[in-house]
Amino acid sequence: MSARTTHWPLVALFTAGYLAPYLLPTTVGRLESGLPLSATQAGAVGSALLLSSALAGFLLASRVDRIGPRTLARTGLLLAVLGYGGAALTTHVPAVIAGAVVGGFGSGTLTAVAATGFAAQRDPHRVTTLGLLGVSALAGAVYLTVPHLGPGHAQPLAAMALTALAVWPLTGRLSPRTAPALPRSATATATATATGGTRLPHLRSGLLLAAAMPCWSAVQNSLWGVSGRIGLTQAHLSEVTVGGVFAVALGAGLLGVVGAGALGPRLGLALPIGLGTVLIAGCVALSASATDLTTFAAGEIAWNVLYPVVLSYVIGLAASLDPRGRWAVLVGSASSLGTATGPVIGSLLSARAGFPAMGTILAVGLLAVAVPLTAVALRRRTTTVATRPALTDETAVRLDVAA
């Protein structure tokens, strides 16, 4: 892909694809309140949506180039519009579930195209932060708007469908096929040539990252999936107040993403990922134990500041493992598996142990998973330093590659 012509379309696709997990609390909450579903059943519908999204990523990780980003993006947008739109227009529970699953597959398709394109950019972390900025801003606007549009399950689903529809015109700027990015070194060129560009590089690091991310994401979305209920039932807040807290939290998350984009690689990868995950564990425990507005808002806002920052570095780490974007898509899809199980895990833990105990269990799990994530980041830094070419000037590298 040409970075100049596809930069913003990729950000838009990422925004449309990631909107579903960002709207998970209001989607699950409104499925429970607007349809004859229990909290656990509504969480299961949310999990089915996100599992479908993860499945799309696994199926398409190595096929974006073969099928073409434009074709896949339009297919994903069509599925999102039809799936989410259809689910919003009916109250028949099986039809709502089917629409959510179809829409989820569309969201996963969009994320796969965007992740592949991000990995082909010269600075994947910077483009990732732009995508997270877009989805955080849009989700914040939805959280501010939805409580004023009346009851029912349709509003968050309609927001996802309309977002997909709005992104469609930008797909004309996507290339029919993905061109691999200019390798960052002549060594990378030689390796890609020798392997035919098909074998996954950094296999051990990639597999460890892909194995750790479902746990990391499951913890995040176990809390996120029940955050609305924590605010409503344990902190005794109104839906308008809870929506306002979420909007402020997502707005604060924008500041975190901006900060991460400004810092870029200056702090490396290990420190933001490792320390950030430890701090998130504290936010999870705080938010889950909230019994008033102050504690609930503090936990949710601090968590939403840190979560997209760490996520942007993790996505950037995955993208750095393979310029063709396969690890980025596979790790993203593995993350979606954890995201998908989050609502069910959060609902079951909170129902059986209560919200505070749930928060403690999740925080301990997050501390454990911080270890392999940090190890991969440290290993990637060591590998990068060891294989850095003698000529670091970009012009020299270009000449070397051309030769």
Side-chain angles (χ1 to χ4, degrees), residues 230-274:
I230 293 173
L232 293 171
T233 63
Q234 183 171 276
H236 307 292
L237 306 175
S238 68
E239 185 185 16
V240 173
T241 302
V242 170
V245 169
F246 287 159
V248 172
L250 291 169
L254 294 177
L255 298 178
V257 175
V258 170
L263 283 174
R266 291 183 182 87
L267 297 178
L269 295 171
L271 182 62
I273 291 174

Side-chain angles (χ1 to χ4, degrees), residues 134-374:
V135 70
S136 296
L138 180 58
V142 173
Y143 277 115
L144 285 175
T145 305
V146 163
H148 301 286
L149 299 179
H153 73 289
Q155 290 87 340
L157 293 167
M160 292 181 243
L162 291 174
T163 299
L165 192 62
V167 170
W168 183 281
L170 297 177
T171 58
R173 297 180 61 189
L174 296 174
S175 61
R177 294 184 63 80
T178 304
L182 178 66
R184 296 178 178 87
S185 70
T187 303
T189 305
T191 302
T193 302
T195 61
T198 58
R199 191 174 64 185
L200 278 170
H202 305 290
L203 186 61
R204 184 180 301 175
S205 294
L207 288 176
L208 185 58
L209 189 60
M213 280 309 291
C215 303
W216 189 87
S217 295
V219 170
Q220 313 293 331
N221 285 279
S222 293
L223 174 68
W224 190 234
V226 298
S227 286
R229 287 164 51 204
I230 293 173
L232 293 171
T233 63
Q234 183 171 276
H236 307 292
L237 306 175
S238 68
E239 185 185 16
V240 173
T241 302
V242 170
V245 169
F246 287 159
V248 172
L250 291 169
L254 294 177
L255 298 178
V257 175
V258 170
L263 283 174
R266 291 183 182 87
L267 297 178
L269 295 171
L271 182 62
I273 291 174
L275 180 59
T277 298
V278 171
L279 293 175
I280 288 173
C283 295
V284 169
L286 177 63
S287 184
S289 63
T291 56
D292 54 37
L293 175 59
T294 301
T295 309
F296 180 72
E300 291 292 326
I301 291 171
W303 176 57
N304 274 278
V305 168
L306 294 167
Y307 167 75
V309 173
V310 178
L311 181 61
S312 70
Y313 280 99
V314 171
I315 294 175
L317 173 60
S320 73
L321 296 176
D322 177 23
R324 292 185 62 188
R326 291 167 293 178
W327 277 126
V329 177
L330 288 171
V331 169
S333 299
S335 176
S336 294
L337 286 178
T339 302
T341 61
V344 173
I345 293 175
S347 296
L348 291 176
L349 283 177
S350 61
R352 296 186 178 185
F355 292 122
M358 176 202 74
T360 301
I361 294 170
L362 295 178
V364 171
L366 202 55
L367 291 175
V369 83
V371 176
L373 290 176
T374 306

Side-chain angles (χ1 to χ4, degrees), residues 27 30-31 34-35 84-85 87-91 146 149-161:
T27 302
R30 288 199 163 233
L31 286 172
L35 297 173
Y84 295 136
L89 293 173
T90 182
T91 56
V146 163
L149 299 179
H153 73 289
Q155 290 87 340
L157 293 167
M160 292 181 243

